[in-house]
Amino acid sequence: MRMEPDCCRPLLDDGRQDVADYNRELNALASPTWFDVPWLYAECYLYRRISSFFSLSTHWKSYDVFARQKLSTFVSSRPAVLELAAKYKQLINQLKDNVPNTKTPEETEAAEKLLFSEMCKICLWGNATDLSLLTALSYEDIQKLQGAEARKTQEKNILVNDLPAAYRTLKTAQNTDPKGERRVDIVLDNAGFELFVDLILAGYLLEAGLATQIILHPKSIPWFVSDVVPADFAALLNALANPQALYAAPPEGSNEAPAPLSDQEVSDLSFLFEHWSSLHQEGRLILRPNLFWTAPGSYWRLPSSAPDLYKDLQRSELVIFKGDLNYRKLAGDAMWAPTVPFGNAIGPMGPKSGIRTLALRTCKADTVVGLPTGEDERLKGMDGGGGDMGARKWAWSGKWAVVQFCDGKA
């Protein structure tokens, strides 16, 4: 591809239904070069073209060229994985055992709200291990990005936090119809440690009664290096089924074998395997891929391009979109003024859409909306913020985050 003089050649038919959509848009762009093709289309085309090389082969049709990297990053996240596994096991056992509550209703509500917020923030900062952007980090660097102390440090870097509104939505639904079906959807981003924390959130929502079913939306093909495909879910469960073997080998780039897991650590990780496997077998935790998530355009096209998916998401109490690319696609990957309300920027996914949207996003690109007046200017004025060159450099590093909610059912 690097040697091709033009930007994008038509995709060859590899049997997937999206080939015509990619080629139709490419034709409308009139043979663009790498210098004038829309950036979002170019990124998506690159990974779709790579996928076609394998799907058109004889023996490599289902091969994920990024799978080894995704699993390697999960192994490198060992300290955070063990910390969260122990806390998760304790929490789930408490929820299942119905431990007597001596708190007042107000205290209980405050504690539940705080727990929901903490779980979502774990999910938010799990995106700090996005492989497509952090490929040069060492084993030690990855460990520093995770864990409880790191999350406390990052708290002040959440620029917009709509988690209270999202919690009220789920709690109201639970109180209104405690025995009814209440579904939460998660449009996944990265595999490895981030998928691990997504499952932490999913298991918590189910056991706390804030949802009765979780629908996970992975990608259909290897995508943007680290994005989740269905096989990554199976690979993670298989790894947790035999955690001692997973952590016995030296991490990539090292010749030193790590210390073996303790019996307690093996027990904690095995608990996760058993719990998540059970939820999956019971139909309470479901994977539902769709070609729309790897289409070349933004999510503004969802009602027209994938009307069945659009109607299906309207049945959900809350749809959580993870990560930077999902956020960019929600907002049309447009250069909005940073103070434009989030609901306006997501267009047909916004007000009156019938879809409640929650975006958990660490900022890694210029597109950002819903900021208070003056916040973009303040961040640009910081050291390395980009104000000296007229760029929004502060939004490139993943240091800052937004958690934004829009109630499309209101």
Side-chain angles (χ1 to χ4, degrees):
M1 291 177 65
R2 187 174 64 177
M3 302 302 294
E4 294 174 359
D6 50 352
C7 162
C8 313
R9 295 183 178 179
L11 293 176
L12 299 178
D13 188 358
D14 61 0
R16 293 188 179 274
Q17 297 177 353
D18 61 346
V19 172
D21 294 333
Y22 268 90
N23 289 343
R24 187 182 306 111
E25 189 152 348
L26 181 61
N27 184 60
L29 292 170
S31 301
T33 70
W34 287 115
F35 297 102
D36 57 18
V37 65
W39 179 241
L40 181 60
Y41 180 87
E43 289 181 289
C44 295
Y45 171 88
L46 172 67
Y47 288 97
R48 181 61 182 88
R49 180 88 180 276
I50 292 173
S51 173
S52 73
F53 295 154
F54 290 94
S55 57
L56 289 167
S57 70
T58 301
H59 302 293
W60 299 80
K61 291 184 181 295
S62 59
Y63 182 69
D64 182 354
V65 68
F66 308 119
R68 182 179 59 84
Q69 293 169 268
K70 289 186 276 191
L71 187 59
S72 174
T73 302
F74 178 69
V75 173
S76 298
S77 304
R78 172 174 169 165
V81 167
L82 296 179
E83 175 196 350
L84 290 172
K87 291 183 177 180
Y88 181 83
K89 179 181 178 181
Q90 180 183 17
L91 172 64
I92 296 303
N93 283 334
Q94 288 177 348
L95 292 171
K96 285 186 173 182
D97 293 342
N98 293 315
V99 176
N101 186 1
T102 59
K103 298 183 179 72
T104 65
E106 292 76 15
E107 291 172 334
T108 299
E109 175 78 9
E112 291 177 350
K113 182 178 178 180
L114 182 62
L115 182 57
F116 172 82
S117 178
E118 177 67 9
M119 288 292 180
C120 289
K121 288 173 186 173
I122 290 170
C123 239
L124 170 68
W125 294 114
N127 184 248
T129 50
D130 186 332
L131 297 183
S132 68
L133 298 174
L134 302 178
T135 52
L137 289 184
S138 69
Y139 178 70
E140 290 75 16
D141 291 332
I142 292 174
Q143 291 179 339
K144 291 175 184 176
L145 288 171
Q146 301 158 338
E149 290 303 315
R151 292 194 300 274
K152 290 177 183 177
T153 301
Q154 292 160 332
E155 179 83 20
K156 65 181 184 299
N157 292 345
I158 301 177
L159 302 173
V160 180
N161 188 351
D162 290 340
L163 286 176
Y167 173 77
R168 285 195 300 271
T169 292
L170 296 181
K171 193 63 181 176
T172 299
Q174 182 186 26
N175 292 337
T176 302
D177 190 9
K179 295 185 178 180
E181 293 295 320
R182 288 168 287 104
R183 166 182 147 191
V184 171
D185 289 59
I186 305 177
V187 182
L188 300 170
D189 189 25
N190 295 318
F193 181 76
E194 188 178 347
L195 176 59
F196 177 82
V197 295
D198 291 341
L199 294 176
I200 291 275
L201 175 63
Y204 156 71
L205 291 174
L206 291 170
E207 294 299 344
L210 292 172
T212 59
Q213 186 181 61
I214 303 290
I215 308 293
L216 303 176
H217 298 267
K219 305 302 189 295
S220 301
I221 59 174
W223 191 248
F224 281 67
V225 181
S226 51
D227 280 39
V228 179
V229 295
D232 293 321
F233 176 78
L236 180 57
L237 290 185
N238 288 336
L240 294 173
N242 189 6
Q244 199 68 269
L246 175 70
Y247 289 114
E252 193 166 334
S254 172
N255 295 320
E256 184 177 346
L261 299 174
S262 68
D263 291 344
Q264 184 60 56
E265 289 168 339
V266 170
S267 174
D268 293 341
L269 293 173
S270 297
F271 175 85
L272 267 62
F273 165 75
E274 293 167 2
H275 187 232
W276 293 340
S277 296
S278 176
L279 293 175
H280 185 52
Q281 291 168 1
E282 293 168 2
R284 300 175 66 197
L285 182 63
I286 297 174
L287 272 73
R288 190 173 291 171
N290 191 293
L291 283 176
F292 178 77
W293 304 123
T294 52
S298 79
Y299 296 163
W300 279 57
R301 301 178 180 182
L302 179 57
S304 58
S305 296
D308 291 341
L309 175 61
Y310 185 67
K311 292 176 183 176
D312 184 54
L313 294 177
Q314 290 174 329
R315 301 186 182 100
S316 183
E317 293 293 337
L318 182 68
V319 183
I320 302 173
F321 288 85
K322 295 289 308 296
D324 191 74
L325 180 62
N326 280 326
Y327 186 94
R328 288 170 52 203
K329 285 196 166 193
L330 278 171
D333 203 31
M335 285 300 292
W336 298 96
T339 54
V340 168
F342 176 67
N344 291 8
I346 63 176
M349 302 288 286
K352 308 301 181 183
S353 66
I355 298 174
R356 294 192 183 101
T357 297
L358 177 67
L360 301 180
R361 186 246 188 152
T362 52
C363 302
K364 298 171 186 173
D366 294 83
T367 299
V368 63
V369 296
L371 298 185
T373 300
E375 186 74 335
D376 182 48
E377 291 76 10
R378 179 183 73 85
L379 294 166
K380 283 181 177 178
M382 298 176 69
D383 186 31
D388 56 338
M389 55 186 294
R392 191 172 288 150
K393 288 181 65 176
W394 66 262
W396 300 351
S397 66
K399 176 182 177 181
W400 304 95
V402 290
V403 179
Q404 294 172 310
F405 172 76
C406 178
D407 189 350
K409 296 181 187 286

